[in-house]
Each structure stands twice: as structure tokens, then as C-alpha cells.
């Protein structure tokens, strides 16, 4: 997926660069069956029309209002192609041969292997053979924050959170043995601590509480006490200077007002109001204009908070359509795990936004709805 580097030998080879030719030839072989199946399932839905409205709003603002019309139109085309790619993923995942057992194996192995890669990268960083994300500023001993091949710990968090949820749920319903689950927990614990993804640690801890400890009151209380104690020890260590806070944690704990995400959100909102285009926004790619006004910030065509980006790109009308679309999507979910996964996915978009240009978004969104359907079909107690 975009943002996920498969290998790096001077030139980034991303997963999507490998997948796109395979997907294209796969579509030819099956005579576009996956795409047609997915399209037939959604074309009559009111939600499909709502999404088309959002696309048209973005196209209008990009062509008429945006100061970056050419680059903005390229971004719109990226969004359009990604939407089709999302339909393809949806059609593939709907195949009957892809069942809960397949997702269980995929989740268990992918999360475990990725976590071990993070540990391996940290070891290489200690030995001086590798410089991970934010090397010299963040992470233990200023050795950076390894993120496997995802490029950023925030993007890594999406995979770990969504797929660990599947493992937790399958443990709850008895699919995974105690021994295998214990090995999984050890792997993901090391991966989380070393990558230092705050949202990853929070949501995976929360999901363990909600799913694995479901209806186990005494163990829930124990987990809460452990969390409170760990937090207290962290605060005491910071207060007395026993712990050196990495830059990313400093802005979360000590100086929240200077947090780059919060600072950028306030700045983008202020410039959005000053632009005068409050109803339909400034168009795709227009965030780039802020580089000239604030050269000390590395502004790109997207922002970490999805609603701030959509406010700038599509205005109040666009945000309203997006919120309506998100709400209506949630109403279609039937299972408890599907609803938990979806809500956390939307919250993650407010910390490390991957909509609309990252193919990872267009894989995970259909995955959530396919999982919801398959859990409901295979396990009647849902």
C-alpha cells in the first residue's frame, strides 16, 4: 500500500507498486468479476450516491477554486482510482474461500512477523547498521522508532490495531490456543514498545480489555490497576529526571500546546477561515500553499486530522457530507467486533490520516465490512 515500503535500495519499492500489476492481470483473468460483484452490491445503496456527491464537491473545488489546479486534479484522479481499487479489494475479500480461518491466520502471522521485524530493526539501530524513522530525535536512546516497512509508526499502528483485534476476538471465542496467544502477545508487546506508537499502545490495550477480558471483571480491574501504576511510574520518572522523554512524547505529555498536530490544526483552520471559501473549501492540494506562509513547517497535500483536511479541501458542505457518510456506514455494521473496529479506524484517521491518497485506507475499510459480514454468517451467536 502507499506508505508501506517493501524494500529500500536507494529507490523505494512500495507494496502497491508490486500489487497493481498483479491486481490488473488478476482482473483480466477473472473477467473483472471482483469489481463487478462489488459494484453491484453498492450501486443501489444511498451511501454510494452520497460518496459520488463528495467526489463531485472535491472535483468542483479543485477545478474552480484551488490555486493548485493541475496537481489538485492529479490528486482527485488518485482518489478516484483508489476508490476503484477499494471496490476490487472488497470483491476479492467477499470470495467464499476467504473465511474467518483465513483472516485468523493472516492476522496472527502478519502481526507477529511485523513486530519481530520492528525488534530486528531496533537491534540493527543499536549496532549502527540502520537508521529508522526519526533517528536521533525519538525512540529509546535516540535510536529512532522502527516501523517495519510502513515508513511511519502511525501507519504501522493501523495494521497492528486492526489485525490484533481479529486475533483478540478469535481468542475470546476459542479459536486460538493459550500457548499461541501468549506468543502473539509477547511479539506485539515488543513491537509496540519499540515503535512507541501511543495510539497503538492505547487501542491494543483497550481491545485486550474489551475482547479478551470480556465478562472477566476481576482481570479487568487488575489490568486497570497495572495501567494506573505504569502511568504513575512514568510521571514520577519524568518529574525527577530519571527518564529522558523522546521528542514525540514531550509534546504529548509536557507541552501539549506546542504539539505539531494541534499547532497545524489550529493554523490550517485559521487560514481556511481567512481564505473565504468556507462552504466548499479550497480544493485538493491547496494545503501546499501554507509552505510559503509557514516555511518552518513541512506542509504537504494532506493533514493528520481527516476532518481538518476535509474542511480545508471541501469546506463545511464537504465535512457535513463526510460525517453523514461515516455515520451511515456505521449503521450497516451488525457485529460487536465490526463496530469496535470501525470506530477505532475513524478515530485513527484523526491522529494519522490515511484518507484519501493512501491505498492502505482502501484496503482496510472494505476489510472491516467483509469481516463484519463473515463473523455474522459463520458465528450465529452474533
Amino acid at each position: 500500500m502507499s506508505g508501506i515500503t517493501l524494500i529500500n535500495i536507494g529507490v523505494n519499492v512500495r507494496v502497491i507498486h508490486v500489487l497493481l500489476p498483479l491486481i490488473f492481470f488478476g482482473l483480466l483473468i477473472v473477467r473483472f468479476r471482483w469489481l463487478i460483484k462489488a459494484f453491484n452490491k453498492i450501486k443501489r445503496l444511498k451511501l454510494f450516491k452520497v460518496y459520488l456527491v463528495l467526489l463531485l464537491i472535491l472535483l468542483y473545488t479543485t477545478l474552480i477554486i484551488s490555486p493548485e489546479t493541475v496537481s489538485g486534479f492529479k490528486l482527485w484522479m488518485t482518489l478516484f482510482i483508489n476508490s476503484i481499487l477499494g471496490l476490487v479489494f472488497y470483491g476479492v475479500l467477499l470470495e467464499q474461500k476467504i473465511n474467518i480461518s483465513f483472516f485468523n491466520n493472516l492476522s496472527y502471522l502478519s502481526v507477529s512477523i511485523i513486530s519481530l521485524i520492528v525488534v530486528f530493526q531496533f537491534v540493527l539501530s543499536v549496532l549502527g547498521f540502520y537508521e529508522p524513522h526519526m533517528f536521533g530525535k525519538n525512540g529509546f536512546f535516540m535510536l529512532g522508532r522502527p516501523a517495519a516497512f510502513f515508513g511511519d509508526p502511525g501507519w504501522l499502528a493501523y495494521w497492528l490495531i486492526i489485525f490484533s483485534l481479529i486475533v483478540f476476538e478469535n481468542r475470546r471465542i476459542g479459536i486460538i490456543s493459550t500457548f499461541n496467544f501468549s506468543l502473539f502477545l509477547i511479539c506485539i508487546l515488543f513491537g509496540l514498545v519499540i515503535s512507541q506508537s501511543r495510539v497503538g499502545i492505547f487501542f491494543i490495550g483497550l481491545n485486550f480489555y474489551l475482547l479478551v477480558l470480556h465478562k472477566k471483571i476481576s482481570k479487568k480491574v487488575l489490568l486497570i490497576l497495572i495501567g494506573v501504576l505504569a502511568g504513575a511510574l512514568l510521571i514520577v520518572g519524568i518529574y525527577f529526571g530519571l527518564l529522558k522523554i523522546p521528542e514525540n512524547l514531550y509534546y504529548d505529555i509536557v507541552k501539549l500546546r506546542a504539539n505539531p498536530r494541534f499547532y497545524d490544526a489550529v493554523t490550517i483552520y485559521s487560514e481556511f477561515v481567512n481564505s473565504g471559501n468556507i462552504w466548499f473549501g479550497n480544493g485538493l492540494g491547496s494545503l501546499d500553499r501554507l509552505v510559503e506562509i509557514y516555511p518552518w513547517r513541512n506542509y504537504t497535500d494532506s493533514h493528520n486530522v481527516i476532518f481538518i483536511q476535509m474542511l480545508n479541501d471541501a469546506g463545511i458542505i464537504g465535512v457535513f457530507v463526510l460525517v453523514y457518510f461515516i455515520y451511515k456506514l456505521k449503521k450497516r455494521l451488525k457485529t460487536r467486533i465490526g463496530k469496535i473496529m470501525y470506530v477505532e479506524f475513524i478515530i485513527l484517521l484523526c491522529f494519522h490520516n490515511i484518507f484519501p491518497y493512501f491505498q492502505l485506507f482502501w484496503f482496510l475499510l472494505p476489510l472491516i465490512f467483509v469481516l463484519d459480514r463473515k463473523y455474522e454468517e459463520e458465528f450465529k451467536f452474533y
Side-chain angles (χ1 to χ4, degrees), residues 90-254:
Y90 186 52
V92 172
L93 293 171
L94 281 172
E95 291 289 328
Q96 290 184 349
K97 294 179 181 179
I98 301 180
N99 54 21
I100 293 300
S101 177
F102 169 85
F103 285 118
N104 179 61
N105 293 331
L106 172 66
S107 304
Y108 187 94
L109 291 174
S110 67
V111 171
S112 299
I113 292 171
I114 288 170
S115 298
L116 291 175
I117 291 174
V118 168
V119 174
F120 180 63
Q121 288 177 329
F122 178 71
V123 173
L124 290 180
S125 181
V126 172
L127 296 175
F129 295 115
Y130 177 72
E131 292 187 3
H133 181 74
M134 293 184 169
F135 181 84
K137 294 196 299 180
N138 287 316
F140 294 111
F141 314 111
M142 303 294 109
L143 293 172
R145 300 168 61 197
F149 35 75
F150 283 78
D152 186 287
W155 302 336
L156 168 66
Y158 275 93
W159 195 277
L160 296 183
I161 291 170
I162 297 298
F163 284 95
S164 66
L165 251 171
I166 299 170
V167 176
F168 288 168
E169 178 68 354
N170 292 341
R171 170 59 184 168
R172 186 183 74 83
I173 60 183
I175 294 178
I176 300 176
S177 68
T178 301
F179 177 76
N180 288 338
F181 186 65
S182 299
L183 289 179
F184 176 84
L185 286 181
I186 292 171
C187 290
I188 196 172
L189 179 62
F190 276 104
L192 283 172
V193 171
I194 292 174
S195 66
Q196 291 183 41
S197 169
R198 287 89 76 201
V199 292
I201 293 171
F202 173 78
F203 278 120
I204 289 175
L206 176 64
N207 294 335
F208 185 87
Y209 176 90
L210 292 174
L211 297 174
V212 180
L213 302 183
H214 185 57
K215 296 183 179 180
K216 299 176 181 178
I217 305 300
S218 59
K219 292 184 178 180
K220 281 186 175 182
V221 172
L222 178 61
L223 182 63
I224 292 173
L225 291 176
I226 292 173
V228 171
L229 179 61
L233 290 174
L234 178 64
I235 293 172
V236 170
I238 293 170
Y239 182 79
F240 288 102
L242 301 175
L243 295 175
K244 183 176 179 60
I245 311 175
E247 184 179 298
N248 57 311
L249 294 180
Y250 175 81
Y251 288 116
D252 285 348
I253 300 173
V254 179

Side-chain angles (χ1 to χ4, degrees), residues 259-275:
N259 183 290
R261 187 177 289 105
F262 179 77
Y263 173 83
D264 289 346
V266 172
T267 301
I268 291 170
Y269 175 75
S270 175
E271 292 298 329
F272 162 74
V273 173
N274 292 336
S275 73

